[in-house]
Amino acid sequence: MKELVTIKEIARQLQVSVSTVSRALRNNPRIGLKTRESVQALAGQLKYSPNAAALNFRSGKSGIIGVVLPEIRENFFSEALNGIEAIALNEKYLVALYQSRDSFEREKQILSALTANRVEGILLSAAKESQSFQHVRDVIAQQIPVVLFDRIPPGVKTHQVGCDVKNGAYQATKWLAAQGFRRIALLNGPPTLVACDDRYEGYITALVENDLPVDSILIKRVDLTPEDTAKKMAQLLALDPRPDAVLAFNDYVALDAMRICRNQGMTVNKDISFASFANLPMNMYLEQPPLVSVEQHPFEIGQKAAEMLIRSIQSGTVPGSDGYERVIIDSHLKVWQ
């Protein structure tokens, strides 16, 4: 492997001091024009590139932002990461990616490691197991900016970027009612996620406005695993009368629930229909996708969160000390059939 050229090598070849080379490369006027030109010409000839780690060490900055999310395999989070990276790269920041895998202990461990390594800021989408958020407040207390996105824990005073899932649930339920569905069930997520309350409120509001029954037996919470979704969907199908439509927490939950319906000999979107969240790209390839899916704009959420974090880093202000900003992006319905 070819060794990287250092300023020591440039100094040796030109028979000047290392400090002279360093200043000349920064175009410092204390160094004569002829010397600056010689240093810069040789640096170009040798293809010299500054050592980013050394520069960051001297400046006391790492040039790294940490991103902590539940699962990169989920399309929503991979799209959000694409948005984050697009902004970070343009602003000359590196992204250190970590997955909590929805574990509270793992999330705490990751934040502790990022803090110890003095990343310049952190973007966090909370794990579903997380119910206490002192570990997030501890990071902020150490003057490290934190921006929460999508899964936003309550009571943490810092910048936040999310999607209006309450209105998304309202619009999806309203759309189902307009198609003539009268017994609409809700497969909601775990109570630890604030967005589940938003989905519930939007769903209930649409039912009431459309004079449809609000029946607690039609509302199930799932832990977002295929096994629990299968169990809760089977419970809904055992009802008499059973639901004629289901609003699911996201497309993954909808797909797992659809599988149970098919296993019981039902035709999806004929015997029972689905609406959901996330608008997975794979929906366009399915013969029986959800009738409608709520687009949550993860790429834009990632971009906004990264922009917010970098502004905070560059301004030297930590959200919470001087107030914080909350950005909520509008959702919209994607009708597939």
Side-chain angles (χ1 to χ4, degrees):
M1 182 181 294
K2 185 179 179 180
E3 292 187 6
L4 295 176
V5 176
T6 67
I7 59 174
K8 289 183 179 179
E9 176 60 22
I10 297 173
R12 185 190 68 78
Q13 291 195 28
L14 292 177
Q15 296 185 334
V16 296
S17 69
V18 170
S19 61
T20 295
V21 173
S22 178
R23 292 190 181 100
L25 289 172
R26 297 198 304 271
N27 218 25
N28 190 314
R30 290 176 59 186
I31 307 301
L33 179 59
K34 185 177 179 180
T35 301
R36 275 184 280 161
E37 288 176 344
S38 298
V39 168
Q40 292 168 9
L42 182 58
Q45 180 184 335
L46 297 177
K47 294 183 171 54
Y48 165 77
S49 180
N51 186 313
L55 291 174
N56 290 334
F57 178 79
R58 287 196 293 270
S59 67
K61 297 181 179 180
S62 68
I64 298 172
I65 59 176
V67 178
V68 187
L69 46 77
E71 290 277 359
I72 189 61
R73 67 181 177 180
E74 283 198 24
N75 182 261
F76 179 94
F77 293 116
S78 61
E79 279 298 302
L81 179 60
N82 285 339
I84 291 167
E85 286 187 327
I87 298 300
L89 182 63
N90 188 56
E91 294 293 332
K92 306 298 189 295
Y93 285 87
L94 296 177
V95 173
L97 172 64
Y98 292 86
Q99 300 176 84
S100 68
R101 303 199 185 280
D102 273 324
S103 164
F104 172 59
E105 291 301 326
R106 186 179 173 98
E107 183 177 275
K108 288 200 300 180
Q109 181 183 6
I110 291 168
L111 289 190
S112 177
L114 289 173
T115 302
N117 284 279
R118 298 306 296 178
V119 293
E120 294 200 48
I122 297 174
L123 295 166
L124 170 67
S125 188
K128 71 180 179 184
E129 286 186 3
S130 298
Q131 299 184 52
S132 169
F133 299 98
Q134 187 57 47
H135 60 300
V136 182
R137 298 186 187 93
D138 288 344
V139 173
I140 297 170
Q142 295 186 56
Q143 299 300 298
I144 297 176
V146 175
V147 174
L148 306 170
F149 69 99
D150 184 51
R151 295 188 185 179
I152 301 171
V156 181
K157 295 181 179 180
T158 190
H159 291 334
Q160 306 170 5
V161 184
C163 178
D164 192 350
V165 294
K166 179 179 179 180
N167 185 57
Y170 168 79
Q171 294 295 341
T173 307
K174 179 181 176 181
W175 186 90
L176 289 171
Q179 307 312 303
F181 297 103
R182 313 316 296 164
R183 193 163 168 78
I184 304 171
L186 173 64
L187 276 177
N188 207 356
T192 52
L193 299 181
V194 173
C196 294
D197 293 336
D198 294 335
R199 283 168 170 78
Y200 174 81
E201 291 177 16
Y203 161 80
I204 294 295
T205 300
L207 291 182
V208 171
E209 286 188 6
N210 287 274
D211 297 319
L212 296 179
V214 177
D215 190 345
S216 61
I217 202 170
L218 291 174
I219 302 171
K220 304 291 183 182
R221 284 192 180 273
V222 303
D223 64 10
L224 305 183
T225 63
E227 296 76 17
D228 195 46
T229 297
K231 176 183 175 181
K232 301 300 170 53
M233 189 66 224
Q235 291 174 0
L236 289 174
L237 294 179
L239 297 175
D240 186 18
R242 69 189 180 203
D244 55 5
V246 177
L247 174 62
F249 176 84
N250 61 22
D251 285 339
Y252 294 104
V253 171
L255 292 171
D256 288 330
M258 288 176 181
R259 178 172 52 85
I260 301 308
C261 296
R262 294 190 188 96
N263 290 346
Q264 295 196 19
M266 302 175 68
T267 300
V268 173
N269 295 335
K270 180 179 179 182
D271 299 320
I272 188 169
S273 298
F274 286 82
S276 61
F277 287 75
N279 189 26
L280 290 176
M282 74 173 70
N283 284 343
M284 70 176 68
Y285 303 107
L286 299 177
E287 291 184 9
Q288 297 169 328
L291 292 180
V292 65
S293 188
V294 178
E295 173 58 66
Q296 296 174 257
H297 305 289
F299 185 86
E300 186 178 352
I301 287 175
Q303 284 186 312
K304 293 290 185 185
E307 288 171 351
M308 201 175 283
L309 182 66
I310 291 171
R311 280 202 307 271
S312 184
I313 292 170
Q314 294 178 344
S315 66
T317 60
V318 177
S321 59
D322 298 311
Y324 61 93
E325 186 179 356
R326 179 177 172 84
V327 174
I328 301 299
I329 295 170
D330 290 337
S331 59
H332 79 266
L333 295 186
K334 170 65 177 180
V335 178
W336 287 100
Q337 295 191 10

